[in-house]
Structures are given as C-alpha cells and as structure tokens.
C-alpha cells in the first residue's frame, strides 16, 4: 500500500493523518497570525449610510437600524471575536426589548436624551457615555429626544457564533417596565456599597458617564502615561474591578498633543473609534489616518503605534477581546525593539 492510498482510505472514513498536510504541522516555529486585516472605516461613509437607512429602514422591518463594520476578509465581522456596529434611532422610535447570549455595550457618539433600559433600570444616554448590557439582560432603547441619536454597538457576536451558543428571547412587549429607582447601579456599585446576596448577572448592567471618564483622563494627562497607549483607562467591572466583561474589555485613551507612542503587539484584537481629534495609527505595514468619528481595527499580533501630530488632544474609545484571551491563557504582549 502507498501512503497516498492510505490517505484516501482514511479520508473515505472521515479520518485524517497528521502527516497529510491537511492540518497545521508543528515541525517549525509558528507565530499567531490573524486572517483579519487592519481596516479603517470613515465616519462620513458610516454616517451617510445611516442617514440613508434612516429613510429606507424602519424598526418594524429591521429589529435594529445598524451598519456593521465588516472587515474585508471577515464574513461580516470586524474581528473573529468582538464586533462593532453603529446604530441610529430616530425621535420617538423604540428599539424593542429583548435579551440574548451576546454581551453588548453602547458608546454614544451623536445626539442625546434617549435612554436604554436594562433589567428594569433606565440609563439616560449622552455623548461619551458607555452603557453595559451584559449577556441575558433584558434591554430596549427609546429616543424621546427631538434629534437622532447615534451610538456604537459593541458585542461578542463572532465569538458567540463560533461557540454555537447564539440564543435570543423577545420580551413580548415593546418596552420592559422601569422598576429600579434612579441611579440604582451607581449606588449599588459605588465605593460604599451593600453586600450582594443574590448575584443575577456576573457582569452587571452599568453606565459610565462621560463627565467622570473625561475628568479622569484630563487629570491623568498630567502624568507620564503609558509608552504604548498614552493616557489609557480601562472601564473596570463595577462588581470586581476587573475587565469590563468576561469576554470584552472596554478602554478609552487620550493621545496628548504631539504624542507619539512606541510600538508593541499583543494577542488581542482591538476595534477603535476616534471620539475626538485626529491622528494616525501604524499597523504592520499600513498607516491608518483617522479623524473624529472614524473606526479602525488592529488585528491580533500586529505591531502598532499611535500618533497625534496635532495641537489638540485626541481621544480613542476601543473594545478588545483581551479578558477572554487572558482567562484562557492566550494573552501575550511584547514591545518592539528599537
Ligand atoms: Fe440587543
Ligand atoms: Fe496596543
């Protein structure tokens, strides 16, 4: 019998020899390599698409009016684990109540005065606010203001899909009742807080108001900062101070005027949104020139560094899969030697 004949015989039985070349060989050094590319999505294109969808797409037709950031090689996803879409809600519209196994978050970029209700607690939405809708929490959105509101929807859809655990449930009514007293989450997870006797959700619903976030960034701008990220803040899990979610980390960073960071690489995927200012990010052999509103992705294990060449500060909001990789022992980070 020849080796080819053996391979064919095994293949007919749905078996594959490790030697056959159809599986990754381990006979050489291998570095992590993402199939996803660095990509820049211009705000002008995202926003124009949303404004056209505003007229063409109703919330009766589509559960959510969102435009997805689809990586050129990503089958509709921005990265293989975490994803970002941009949503527009017109005045008086209700995005119906549902819950799902996806962990999700909203970062408000335009408009204000709408609200998201999560597990019976109402969170008012203003630009720069981050609102968490952890997995399996009921959530709905209502725009009671006189102007459109636009926010980023971050979630772990690609991961949940790959794990084949997508699960969705409709609430049955358009909106859930608001039962929690105002600012419940803030009081429940403040510095003086009650003991939690019944933990319903490992990652709790929460809102990080922009004023607080910006105050911290502005104050820490007087410190040295991080050589790779400028002044970077993690949004701490309100319960335990760890990563924002078990599957998604949320971060915000300020690149000060004329700040250029050193390059590093890490095994987490990151999707950025330029909330304020303008700058450039080198990723591998690509240079992404971004300005306010643009979104861009930095795939795993690619060398990257940021630069703000302007006289004004620049602020980047980002989401990443670092908590997931850390929990599983797959997170590595290294500086680029100069
Ligand atoms: Fe949802
Ligand atoms: Fe980085």
């Amino acid at each position: 019998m020849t080796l080819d004949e053996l391979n064919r015989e095994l293949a007919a039985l749905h078996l594959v020899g490790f030697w056959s070349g159809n599986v990754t060989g381990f006979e050489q050094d291998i570095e992590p390599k993402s199939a996803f590319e660095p990509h820049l999505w211009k705000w002008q294109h995202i926003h124009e698409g949303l404004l056209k969808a505003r007229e063409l797409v109703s919330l009766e037709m589509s559960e959510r009016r969102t435009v997805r950031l689809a990586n050129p090689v990503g089958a509709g996803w921005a990265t293989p684990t975490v994803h970002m879409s941009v949503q527009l809600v017109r005045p008086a519209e209700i995005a119906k109540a549902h819950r799902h196994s996806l962990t999700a978050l909203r970062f408000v970029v335009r408009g204000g005065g709408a609200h998201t209700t999560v597990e019976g607690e109402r969170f008012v939405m203003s630009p720069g606010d981050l609102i968490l809708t952890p997995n399996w929490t009921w959530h709905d959105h209502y725009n009671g203001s006189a102007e459109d509101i636009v926010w980023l929807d971050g979630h772990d859809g690609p991961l949940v899909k790959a794990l084949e655990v997508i699960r969705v449930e409709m609430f049955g009514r358009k909106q859930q009742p608001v039962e929690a007293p105002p600012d419940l989450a803030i009081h429940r997870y403040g510095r003086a807080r009650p003991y939690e006797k019944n933990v319903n959700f490992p990652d709790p619903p929460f809102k990080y108001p922009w004023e607080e976030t910006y105050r911290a960034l502005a104050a820490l701008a007087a410190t040295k900062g991080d050589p790779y990220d400028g002044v970077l803040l993690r949004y701490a899990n309100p319960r335990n101070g760890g990563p924002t979610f078990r599957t998604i980390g949320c971060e915000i960073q300020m690149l000060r005027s004329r700040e250029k960071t050193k390059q590093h690489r890490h095994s987490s995927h990151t999707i950025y949104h330029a909330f304020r200012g303008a700058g450039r990010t080198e990723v591998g052999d690509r240079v992404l020139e971004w300005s306010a509103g643009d979104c861009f992705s930095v795939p795993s294990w690619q060398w990257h560094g940021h630069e703000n060449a302007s006289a004004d500060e620049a602020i980047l909001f980002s989401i990443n899969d670092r908590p997931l990789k850390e929990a599983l022992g797959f997170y590595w980070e290294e500086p680029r030697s100069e």
Side-chain angles (χ1 to χ4, degrees):
M1 173 181 253
T2 66
L3 185 57
D4 273 353
E5 285 168 344
L6 172 61
N7 288 340
R8 278 198 296 276
E9 187 175 300
L10 289 171
L13 300 166
H14 305 287
L15 295 166
V16 180
F18 189 70
W19 57 83
S20 69
N22 292 332
V23 288
T24 306
F26 287 167
E27 68 283 350
Q28 62 199 351
D29 293 354
I30 298 173
E31 291 286 322
K33 187 169 176 4
S34 179
F36 285 66
E37 296 172 358
H39 193 76
L40 176 71
W41 294 269
K42 297 301 287 179
W43 173 251
Q44 187 197 340
H45 299 150
I46 298 169
H47 196 222
E48 282 176 4
L50 277 173
L51 289 179
K52 286 172 186 163
R54 183 190 192 280
E55 307 309 319
L56 296 169
V57 180
S58 72
L59 296 195
E60 280 67 45
M61 279 169 59
S62 171
E63 203 61 27
R64 301 289 190 253
R65 186 188 294 110
T66 63
V67 167
R68 309 164 63 88
L69 305 185
N71 195 279
V73 294
W77 300 116
T79 85
T81 48
V82 290
H83 179 74
M84 195 180 273
S85 295
V86 189
Q87 178 162 182
L88 182 148
V89 181
R90 294 164 59 152
E93 278 185 333
I94 296 169
K96 280 190 291 191
H98 65 194
R99 63 178 177 178
H100 37 64
S101 52
L102 284 71
T103 289
L105 57 104
R106 332 280 153 199
F107 184 82
V108 185
V109 295
R110 296 285 188 283
H115 61 247
T116 285
T117 304
V118 193
E119 285 296 313
E121 179 166 359
R122 177 173 285 183
F123 297 95
V124 176
M125 308 175 85
S126 303
D129 289 352
L130 172 66
I131 295 161
L132 309 184
T133 54
N135 70 355
W136 217 238
T137 55
W138 293 113
H139 56 279
D140 52 83
H141 316 286
Y142 169 61
N143 185 0
S145 80
E147 55 178 348
D148 291 350
I149 185 162
V150 179
W151 64 74
L152 312 175
D153 276 316
H155 60 75
D156 55 7
L159 171 75
V160 176
K161 184 163 193 290
L163 296 175
E164 298 184 324
V165 286
I166 290 187
R167 192 178 174 201
V168 180
E169 196 177 339
M170 303 306 294
F171 188 72
R173 284 160 43 198
K174 271 192 153 187
Q175 288 174 290
Q176 61 187 301
V178 177
E179 289 162 342
D183 297 328
L184 176 67
I186 287 176
H187 300 309
R188 184 176 273 164
Y189 300 109
R191 290 190 204 176
R193 56 175 69 182
Y195 287 102
E196 279 188 284
K197 295 289 166 64
N198 299 305
V199 174
N200 294 328
F201 304 103
D203 299 327
F206 200 67
K207 171 175 133 172
Y208 305 82
W210 173 244
E211 302 79 63
E212 265 179 40
T213 308
Y214 185 71
R215 211 179 308 135
L217 281 174
L220 293 170
T223 66
K224 195 157 171 264
D226 182 89
Y228 308 103
D229 281 303
V231 182
L232 181 135
L233 305 178
R234 297 180 301 130
Y235 289 91
N237 183 292
R239 172 169 290 120
N240 56 33
T244 325
F245 292 115
R246 288 165 295 167
T247 53
I248 310 171
C250 300
E251 298 178 349
I252 191 127
Q253 70 199 90
M254 180 191 286
L255 299 170
R256 293 158 288 196
S257 169
R258 320 280 180 219
E259 181 162 19
K260 182 176 185 183
T261 70
K262 292 182 178 175
Q263 291 212 356
H264 71 168
R265 65 180 179 181
H266 36 74
S267 55
S268 52
H269 293 278
T270 313
I271 310 168
Y272 291 91
H273 168 77
F275 184 55
R276 285 186 180 168
R280 63 208 299 271
T281 296
E282 285 183 34
V283 197
D285 55 8
R286 302 272 303 275
V287 179
L288 308 176
E289 304 266 1
W290 43 263
S291 53
D294 295 352
C295 297
F296 60 97
S297 63
V298 175
S300 159
W301 214 236
Q302 296 224 17
W303 297 112
H304 60 278
H306 310 288
E307 182 177 7
N308 170 12
S310 79
D312 303 314
E313 66 192 29
I315 293 178
L316 296 171
F317 170 78
S318 61
I319 64 171
N320 60 67
D321 63 0
R322 178 174 170 166
L324 170 78
K325 301 263 173 74
E326 282 185 327
L328 298 176
F330 297 141
Y331 184 77
W332 313 287
E333 180 177 333
E334 56 186 42
R336 186 165 206 172
S337 51
E338 285 157 22

